[in-house]
Amino acid sequence: MIATPDRTPLAREFFDRPVLEVAPDLLGRVLVRVTPDGPIELRLTEVEAYDGANDPGSHAYRGRTARNDVMFGPPGHVYVYFTYGMWHCMNLVCGPEGRASAVLLRAGEITEGAELARKRRLSARNDKELAKGPARLATALDVDRALDGTDACAPDDPALTVLTGTPVSPDQVLSGPRTGVAGDGGVHPWRFWIANDPTVSPYRAHAPRRRST
DNA sequence: CAGTCGATTCACT
DNA sequence: GTGAATCGACTGA
């Protein structure tokens, strides 16, 4: 029998812990995204931790800028960035305010509103691919820079909320190097995923771009 | 102010 | 497996 997911929103205290503690604890939690067309829900299956100014792989490594401003703010808020000229990726800010750490939401299983997600992910060949990868996840949930800074712990702001869900037991959590992270940032096993879950994205090492001209 | 590159995805060979 | 797509942020001069 399958346990019923707990629909209680996660409190801010949940996110106000070291990012390496929060990241694996997010697996199995449920993200609720309320769009104009209706709600979409996603069960998190893969995440990555980024630890602020100490972490060469983090956007916060070189200090506070207009783009990463939200990372330096209070935990429990959403940091969304735009990359490769086409895609958005979303994070949840962790740790004490000013630490600038965050968890990248890399993949999940759509558990509600799949018909809405399919409309936004026309290239997906099956439902397991709807949110398999960080940019796919953001696309499926209709997340872009407009949601940057959204408080995911505020019940009065339903745009994006994280519910308690059904956390997975620690022996179901695997870890390894982060995907696509360059240089020193790639050495840490700060990617976490649920063992044998079909919605987890494949690992890829960082690929430096070839020179043009 | 020009050059470089990205926490990626997709189409194609 | 390989290369293109596509643009804003950041860097260094």
Side-chain angles (χ1 to χ4, degrees):
Chain A
M1 100 175 211
I2 298 179
T4 303
D6 185 339
R7 314 256 330 152
T8 309
L10 289 177
R12 194 167 320 284
E13 293 72 44
F14 177 92
F15 298 99
D16 197 4
R17 294 182 288 154
V19 67
L20 290 176
E21 207 174 297
V22 177
D25 199 4
L26 277 169
L27 298 174
R29 311 292 184 170
V30 173
L31 211 68
V32 182
R33 165 77 177 120
V34 176
T35 75
D37 294 329
I40 306 175
E41 298 189 10
L42 171 134
R43 173 178 172 261
L44 288 169
T45 59
E46 181 192 358
V47 298
E48 272 175 9
Y50 289 84
D51 196 10
N54 301 319
D55 180 0
S58 170
H59 287 169
Y61 185 56
R62 289 170 210 285
R64 193 170 191 160
T65 67
R67 176 174 71 153
N68 66 22
D69 190 62
V70 172
M71 291 185 83
F72 290 80
H77 289 244
V78 180
Y79 165 52
V80 182
Y81 67 89
F82 180 66
T83 191
Y84 287 99
M86 297 168 257
W87 310 111
H88 294 274
C89 295
M90 78 174 284
N91 300 254
L92 294 168
V93 176
C94 295
E97 182 165 356
R99 174 77 186 203
S101 60
V103 175
L104 172 69
L105 308 184
R106 286 198 57 91
E109 169 194 4
I110 302 290
T111 54
E112 197 68 56
E115 67 284 356
L116 298 176
R118 285 185 205 115
K119 286 181 188 166
R120 300 192 45 79
R121 291 274 302 116
L122 296 179
S123 65
R125 288 171 298 186
N126 57 66
D127 283 3
K128 296 178 185 3
E129 289 186 352
L130 286 175
K132 179 184 286 194
R136 290 170 167 181
L137 185 152
T139 301
L141 296 181
D142 197 16
V143 168
D144 61 20
R145 282 284 283 173
L147 276 111
D148 188 52
T150 297
D151 186 350
C153 302
D156 54 320
D157 182 3
L160 199 54
T161 312
V162 189
L163 307 182
T164 300
T166 308
V168 300
S169 69
D171 60 356
Q172 289 301 109
V173 176
L174 300 181
S175 65
R178 293 176 294 185
T179 295
V181 174
D184 296 332
V187 304
H188 302 111
W190 288 353
R191 173 179 178 243
F192 303 91
W193 66 93
I194 298 177
N196 298 318
D197 190 289
T199 66
V200 173
S201 72
Y203 173 77
R204 288 189 197 81
H206 176 70
R209 196 233 303 251
R210 299 187 347 279
R211 261 178 60 98
S212 58
T213 72

